[in-house]
Amino acid sequence: MKATVNIGLLGLGNVGTGVLNILTHNADLLCRRTGKKLMVRKILVKDLSKQRGLKMPGIHLTDRADDILDDADIHIVVEAMGGEFPAYDYIKKALKNKKFVVTANKEVVSKHKKEFFELAKKNKVDIYFEASVGGGIPLIRSLKVGYAANKIQTLYGILNGTSNYILTQIEEKQEEFDDALNDAKKMGFAEADPTMDISGLDTAYKLTILAAVAFKMDITVNDLSYEGIQDISLKDIVYAKELGYRIKLLAIAHLLDKEEINFRIHPTMILLDHPLAAVRNELNAVFLVGDAVGESMLSGKGAGASPTGSAIVSDIIDIAFDTKIGRFYDTQGKAHVSIEGVDDPLYINKRNLEDELHQPSLVNICDIYSQFYLRLAISDSPGALARITTVFGENEVSISKILQKNTVGLDAEVVVITYHTKEEYLRKSVQVLTTLSVVKHVYSVIHVGF
Amino acid sequence: MKATVNIGLLGLGNVGTGVLNILTHNADLLCRRTGKKLMVRKILVKDLSKQRGLKMPGIHLTDRADDILDDADIHIVVEAMGGEFPAYDYIKKALKNKKFVVTANKEVVSKHKKEFFELAKKNKVDIYFEASVGGGIPLIRSLKVGYAANKIQTLYGILNGTSNYILTQIEEKQEEFDDALNDAKKMGFAEADPTMDISGLDTAYKLTILAAVAFKMDITVNDLSYEGIQDISLKDIVYAKELGYRIKLLAIAHLLDKEEINFRIHPTMILLDHPLAAVRNELNAVFLVGDAVGESMLSGKGAGASPTGSAIVSDIIDIAFDTKIGRFYDTQGKAHVSIEGVDDPLYINKRNLEDELHQPSLVNICDIYSQFYLRLAISDSPGALARITTVFGENEVSISKILQKNTVGLDAEVVVITYHTKEEYLRKSVQVLTTLSVVKHVYSVIHVGF
């Protein structure tokens, strides 16, 4: 007889259904791979009376979370609800009750990871969150083990499928931001309220999780600067392409000298032949440079029921792999004999737990050097350009290129590409530029990277 | 006091030195991540008298393998010699002596994996081989866990850096094969005898390893057809590009209906906007389609001391993660108390061991449907083209495009692109074509894929 792993699922929306489908559809395969039956026993739903048309023999639906969290026979709690509350409380209770937790919830992991990790360690269980960043891409576990021989020097991520879809559509359909956003909503790649995605906040949550895994650093979204894609226009994307670049919303972690590090999120113009430039539509990717492995990239679908479900089930598999060695405990702290377990007080799962997160020495984005693209409207008059270049010069910003684009009435549209300069200097220049009478408008300021 | 993991290294060439450098250079980082000291204690070298200029405090060099294999204090044996023998014997002895084994050796893993897996299982240890395919890319462990929720439907790999470098150089420098091969040798991307790389055999070894990990299938290089890049000419690469394709040497695993599967390796024309087309020079990549995750790709450096070392050390880390739970045994089968271990007879490492490989139902390449590109010289005479198209028609091969390229003297160079056709029919057509007087030469027959 095969041992079983009993799963309690919190939430049966898009993600929960995805998990259930994979566990049902690939049950035989998963049993062969893990040597165990992975069984969903209970599901927390909001409305018990709702008709769901799901094939779920032997699964108990409940609208009380404690039916799952207090059930000594549930080994793994899968949190598939999203949002900070009540997910936070449920995860805490599950860990306290010595259940392994799997979650796809970037917000709750980002905000409470340290507490979760400590609670898991104390209770000799784990919290897994592969699905919280990069959907189905095996990113978290690659950073935890696959790349773990390396000091990661740089990490660039396209981590928000909605933003990447919109940017791709603007370029490919030559449409404006609002139209692309509407397309994304119609295609199911953007929510009715897309603020969290397009503002960069979603990406910021994810970068804090990668900071914990790749750099063992404990940061929150308040420790990094983030900027979204709201102000990117078709024109910028067209001009970028003329200059040999494509605009992507990048999460960036860059290790500097003396163990200082900078985390930031902003639209970035990247060279067209860079592998990240080829990551289209809703796909996500992480490109990293390790001191041993060199450049490496992982890509795939960053969202959706199936890819997210794939990541969640991979976490369940990871937990199931270890059940023979006594890693399941009931609420009294005794090992479940049904899982062939033995109580092992020495067990600390260094494989997964980030139990030694430290506070990094953060460098503010203002002190980072980048190239910049600026698009301005200036008065089409003699001397206007000289005024502008003087402002840059006075603020220690060197200019690589100035391109006069269109002339509309008395205004000229000008694109400026700077050399590497401190962000602080660039910001100061822009501040001064906006006060000049010859500058009608600063439309956009975009980072230019590799 | 931190527990230590004692490593015995077999071989101190390129790869062995890479491993040693990472373990030395990132010692603190690795100790923080694993909670243990990862120490190389003994190294097997050919020539003890050779001056090496390596910083190796406390490391014992030996020219007798048994000094390592019989040492009860060595926990992990890293085989970094390459080749089938004596690696095969050393790995077997290490497993029998209950040592964990880490190897980068695709040939020995490909040929003897089943025996190794069974021996490891019997002795309650593991054999790890992340470095044997795709260099530093965390490919093996992604297939074992990260993508394990999926039935993998298709897998395409660029697995030989030498071949990919040569193909890239032919295109970018517009040079012929032999010149690109010489460049590759100069750059250290090709061996003095490059046969194993450019013939496809190296890729074939690697595909049999992926077959075990991704599909749990036990195949050898004799179970698949492989073809290398020796016959690819600059002209084919130029014409491919004109048609919107790039030629890559692909390892292909394709799951068909009724659980049948086809494994093959051949140069393939892939669409320029496919992510694999952007994998340049010595880089490797695997693109896969899983039933849950959809399309996903992993890429990075497929060879070299540091990337290979990165993969080997990731395997060492993986083993080290579990040492608190008693996974080290001495030669008498007793756990090493120095590693805080407890003897655990229940332990079977399903995470890593492929202990249930099965014989797949293989489909011969002749029964696979593909599109094809052919380049021929035919006599520049009326009716010649008609003769050729008739041959294709008689053999059930439909033609998508015929392009007349150059005329040299009395001969015309013609490129033919077929629709999807059974390989058998295509081969038969080519056989007949070569007998026609109007056909002067069949220069190339190349698969055209996605």
Side-chain angles (χ1 to χ4, degrees):
Chain A
M1 209 192 86
K2 297 269 186 192
T4 65
V5 175
N6 297 331
I7 298 160
L9 188 54
L10 306 179
L12 194 54
N14 200 20
V15 172
T17 309
V19 172
L20 196 62
N21 284 343
I22 295 171
L23 289 174
T24 309
H25 197 252
N26 287 348
D28 288 349
L29 179 89
L30 295 169
C31 189
R32 276 203 309 278
R33 284 190 182 157
T34 62
K36 326 227 153 50
K37 288 188 191 168
L38 311 180
M39 306 294 288
V40 175
R41 299 297 190 184
K42 291 184 175 177
I43 303 177
L44 175 69
V45 295
K46 275 186 193 143
D47 179 5
L48 279 173
S49 63
K50 191 171 160 186
Q51 293 297 316
R52 296 167 199 274
L54 292 166
K55 289 178 204 156
M56 295 181 289
I59 297 181
H60 175 67
L61 294 192
T62 177
D63 56 5
R64 291 184 53 251
D66 287 347
D67 275 354
I68 293 171
L69 303 175
D70 286 333
D71 184 342
D73 288 328
I74 294 291
H75 308 117
I76 301 176
V77 170
V78 175
E79 184 272 304
M81 302 181 302
E84 187 176 4
F85 299 105
Y88 167 71
D89 301 298
Y90 293 171
I91 290 173
K92 258 176 70 169
K93 186 159 188 187
L95 294 172
K96 279 182 185 166
N97 284 349
K98 298 181 187 299
K99 299 189 184 315
F100 284 72
V101 171
V102 177
T103 177
N105 189 329
K106 69 236 157 191
E107 185 177 352
V108 82
V109 174
S110 173
K111 288 180 175 169
H112 304 286
K113 54 190 177 304
K114 202 161 183 190
E115 187 183 358
F116 290 158
F117 296 154
E118 283 164 7
L119 207 51
K121 186 178 180 181
K122 195 177 148 199
N123 288 285
K124 299 203 178 77
V125 286
D126 274 349
I127 175 165
Y128 286 72
F129 46 92
E130 179 67 77
S132 68
V133 187
I137 309 167
L139 180 56
I140 302 287
R141 49 177 44 80
S142 291
L143 288 167
K144 284 186 177 181
V145 186
Y147 296 122
N150 294 263
K151 179 180 263 194
I152 305 290
Q153 292 159 327
T154 315
L155 184 151
Y156 301 106
I158 295 175
L159 301 177
N160 183 267
T162 307
S163 296
N164 203 47
Y165 183 84
I166 291 171
L167 291 174
T168 306
Q169 291 299 307
I170 294 175
E171 178 181 337
E172 296 191 356
K173 291 202 186 142
Q174 296 281 301
E175 63 187 3
E176 283 297 347
F177 181 86
D178 289 340
D179 299 319
L181 174 58
N182 283 330
D183 284 356
K185 285 182 184 173
K186 271 181 224 152
M187 295 289 292
F189 293 133
E191 318 244 359
D193 177 2
T195 314
M196 181 136 113
D197 290 314
I198 64 173
S199 70
L201 177 58
D202 172 86
T203 304
Y205 284 138
K206 291 167 177 169
L207 185 55
T208 66
I209 296 172
L210 295 185
V213 177
F215 300 97
K216 309 293 172 195
M217 290 174 182
D218 183 31
I219 60 164
T220 72
V221 292
N222 300 319
D223 294 321
L224 49 80
S225 69
Y226 65 89
E227 183 190 323
I229 60 163
Q230 310 95 316
D231 299 328
I232 301 294
S233 72
L234 173 59
K235 257 191 182 165
D236 294 319
I237 284 176
V238 170
Y239 293 167
K241 200 164 187 182
E242 288 172 13
L243 290 159
Y245 295 102
R246 182 163 287 140
I247 300 175
K248 294 289 184 189
L249 182 63
L250 288 195
I252 301 173
H254 191 58
L255 199 64
L256 305 161
D257 291 342
K258 303 180 219 150
E259 298 298 308
E260 290 184 324
I261 193 161
N262 171 259
F263 295 100
R264 59 203 155 103
I265 289 135
H266 52 62
T268 310
M269 291 191 177
I270 58 181
L271 287 169
L272 284 169
D273 68 357
H274 192 279
L276 282 172
V279 177
R280 291 175 62 245
N281 285 327
E282 79 278 19
L283 290 184
N284 282 16
V286 165
F287 177 92
L288 59 82
V289 184
D291 63 350
V293 79
E295 300 183 350
S296 193
M297 188 167 109
L298 311 178
S299 63
K301 287 184 185 165
S306 276
T308 307
S310 171
I312 288 176
V313 174
S314 76
D315 283 345
I316 294 172
I317 291 168
D318 218 346
I319 299 168
F321 275 143
D322 289 329
T323 56
K324 292 213 181 180
I325 45 173
R327 291 173 58 179
F328 286 121
Y329 297 83
D330 63 21
T331 45
Q332 277 73 49
K334 295 272 165 59
H336 275 285
V337 286
S338 64
I339 305 294
E340 309 167 29
V342 290
D343 201 305
D344 175 7
L346 290 174
Y347 169 69
I348 298 168
N349 185 15
K350 288 289 291 187
R351 180 190 303 281
N352 194 50
L353 271 183
E354 313 304 326
D355 61 342
E356 287 177 19
L357 297 188
H358 65 278
Q359 300 296 328
S361 175
L362 294 169
V363 176
N364 192 285
I365 190 169
C366 288
D367 293 321
I368 297 292
Y369 284 75
S370 299
Q371 282 190 277
F372 290 89
Y373 157 105
L374 298 96
R375 183 163 61 88
L376 327 163
I378 64 173
S379 62
D380 192 15
S381 62
L385 218 50
R387 289 294 303 277
I388 290 162
T389 53
T390 305
V391 169
F392 282 117
E394 284 170 355
N395 287 284
E396 305 190 48
V397 176
S398 300
I399 292 168
S400 162
K401 265 183 207 156
I402 297 188
L403 305 165
Q404 175 121 358
K405 307 302 292 189
N406 307 303
T407 306
V408 182
L410 296 174
D411 294 346
E413 189 184 40
V414 169
V415 164
V416 178
I417 308 282
T418 73
Y419 280 112
H420 271 83
T421 182
K422 216 173 175 180
E423 178 125 359
E424 182 192 349
Y425 302 153
L426 191 278
R427 289 189 185 187
K428 223 167 146 192
S429 307
V430 172
Q431 214 171 17
V432 178
L433 286 176
T434 54
T435 66
L436 296 185
S437 60
V438 296
V439 173
K440 301 306 172 77
H441 200 74
V442 179
Y443 293 115
S444 29
V445 180
I446 302 173
H447 291 77
V448 179
F450 50 90
Chain B
M1 207 193 89
K2 297 267 184 192
T4 64
V5 174
N6 297 330
I7 298 160
L9 189 52
L10 306 181
L12 194 54
N14 200 20
V15 171
T17 307
V19 172
L20 195 62
N21 283 342
I22 294 171
L23 289 174
T24 308
H25 197 251
N26 287 348
D28 288 348
L29 179 90
L30 295 168
C31 189
R32 276 203 308 279
R33 283 190 182 156
T34 63
K36 326 224 155 49
K37 287 187 192 168
L38 311 179
M39 306 294 288
V40 175
R41 299 296 190 184
K42 290 183 177 177
I43 303 176
L44 176 69
V45 294
K46 276 185 195 147
D47 179 5
L48 279 174
S49 64
K50 189 170 162 189
Q51 293 298 315
R52 295 167 200 275
L54 292 165
K55 291 177 203 158
M56 295 182 290
I59 297 181
H60 175 68
L61 294 192
T62 176
D63 55 4
R64 291 184 53 250
D66 287 346
D67 274 351
I68 292 171
L69 303 174
D70 287 332
D71 183 342
D73 288 326
I74 294 289
H75 308 118
I76 301 175
V77 170
V78 175
E79 184 272 302
M81 300 180 304
E84 188 175 5
F85 299 105
Y88 167 72
D89 301 297
Y90 293 170
I91 290 174
K92 258 177 68 173
K93 184 157 190 191
L95 294 171
K96 280 183 183 163
N97 284 349
K98 299 183 187 300
K99 301 192 184 310
F100 284 72
V101 171
V102 177
T103 177
N105 188 329
K106 68 237 158 193
E107 184 176 354
V108 82
V109 174
S110 172
K111 288 180 175 167
H112 304 287
K113 54 190 177 303
K114 202 162 183 191
E115 187 183 359
F116 290 157
F117 297 153
E118 284 163 6
L119 207 50
K121 186 178 180 181
K122 196 177 147 201
N123 289 284
K124 300 204 178 74
V125 287
D126 276 348
I127 175 166
Y128 286 72
F129 44 92
E130 179 67 76
S132 68
V133 188
I137 308 168
L139 180 56
I140 303 288
R141 49 176 45 80
S142 291
L143 289 166
K144 285 186 176 181
V145 187
Y147 295 121
N150 293 264
K151 179 180 263 192
I152 304 291
Q153 293 160 327
T154 316
L155 183 151
Y156 301 107
I158 296 174
L159 302 177
N160 183 267
T162 306
S163 297
N164 203 47
Y165 183 85
I166 290 171
L167 292 174
T168 306
Q169 290 299 307
I170 295 175
E171 179 182 336
E172 296 191 354
K173 292 202 185 143
Q174 296 281 302
E175 63 187 1
E176 283 297 348
F177 181 87
D178 289 339
D179 299 319
L181 175 57
N182 283 331
D183 284 356
K185 284 182 185 173
K186 271 181 226 154
M187 294 289 293
F189 294 133
E191 318 243 0
D193 176 2
T195 314
M196 178 136 113
D197 291 313
I198 64 174
S199 70
L201 177 57
D202 172 86
T203 303
Y205 283 138
K206 290 168 177 168
L207 185 55
T208 66
I209 296 172
L210 295 185
V213 178
F215 301 98
K216 309 292 171 197
M217 291 173 181
D218 183 30
I219 61 165
T220 73
V221 293
N222 300 319
D223 295 320
L224 49 81
S225 68
Y226 66 88
E227 183 189 321
I229 60 163
Q230 311 93 318
D231 299 329
I232 301 295
S233 72
L234 173 59
K235 256 192 184 167
D236 295 318
I237 284 176
V238 170
Y239 294 165
K241 200 164 189 184
E242 288 171 13
L243 291 159
Y245 296 101
R246 181 164 288 140
I247 300 176
K248 294 290 183 189
L249 180 64
L250 289 193
I252 300 174
H254 192 58
L255 199 64
L256 306 161
D257 291 342
K258 304 179 216 148
E259 299 298 310
E260 289 183 326
I261 193 160
N262 170 259
F263 295 100
R264 60 204 154 102
I265 288 135
H266 52 61
T268 311
M269 291 191 179
I270 58 180
L271 287 169
L272 284 170
D273 67 356
H274 191 280
L276 282 172
V279 177
R280 292 174 60 242
N281 286 328
E282 79 277 18
L283 290 183
N284 281 17
V286 165
F287 178 92
L288 58 83
V289 184
D291 64 349
V293 79
E295 299 183 350
S296 194
M297 188 167 109
L298 311 179
S299 62
K301 287 183 186 167
S306 276
T308 307
S310 172
I312 288 176
V313 174
S314 77
D315 284 345
I316 295 173
I317 291 168
D318 219 346
I319 299 167
F321 276 143
D322 290 328
T323 55
K324 291 214 179 180
I325 46 176
R327 290 174 58 182
F328 286 121
Y329 297 82
D330 62 22
T331 45
Q332 276 73 48
K334 295 271 165 61
H336 275 287
V337 285
S338 64
I339 306 293
E340 310 167 30
V342 290
D343 201 305
D344 174 10
L346 291 173
Y347 170 69
I348 299 168
N349 185 16
K350 288 288 292 187
R351 181 191 302 279
N352 194 53
L353 271 183
E354 313 302 326
D355 60 342
E356 287 178 20
L357 296 188
H358 65 277
Q359 300 295 328
S361 176
L362 293 170
V363 177
N364 192 285
I365 191 168
C366 288
D367 293 320
I368 297 292
Y369 284 75
S370 299
Q371 283 190 277
F372 290 89
Y373 156 104
L374 297 95
R375 183 162 62 88
L376 327 163
I378 63 173
S379 62
D380 192 16
S381 61
L385 218 48
R387 290 293 304 278
I388 289 164
T389 54
T390 305
V391 169
F392 281 117
E394 284 169 356
N395 287 285
E396 305 191 49
V397 176
S398 301
I399 290 168
S400 162
K401 267 183 206 154
I402 297 188
L403 305 167
Q404 175 120 359
K405 308 303 289 188
N406 306 303
T407 308
V408 181
L410 295 174
D411 294 347
E413 189 185 40
V414 170
V415 164
V416 178
I417 307 282
T418 74
Y419 281 112
H420 271 83
T421 184
K422 215 174 175 178
E423 178 124 1
E424 181 191 350
Y425 302 153
L426 191 278
R427 290 189 184 187
K428 226 167 146 190
S429 308
V430 172
Q431 216 170 16
V432 178
L433 286 176
T434 53
T435 66
L436 296 185
S437 60
V438 295
V439 173
K440 301 306 169 81
H441 200 75
V442 179
Y443 293 114
S444 28
V445 180
I446 301 174
H447 291 76
V448 179
F450 50 90

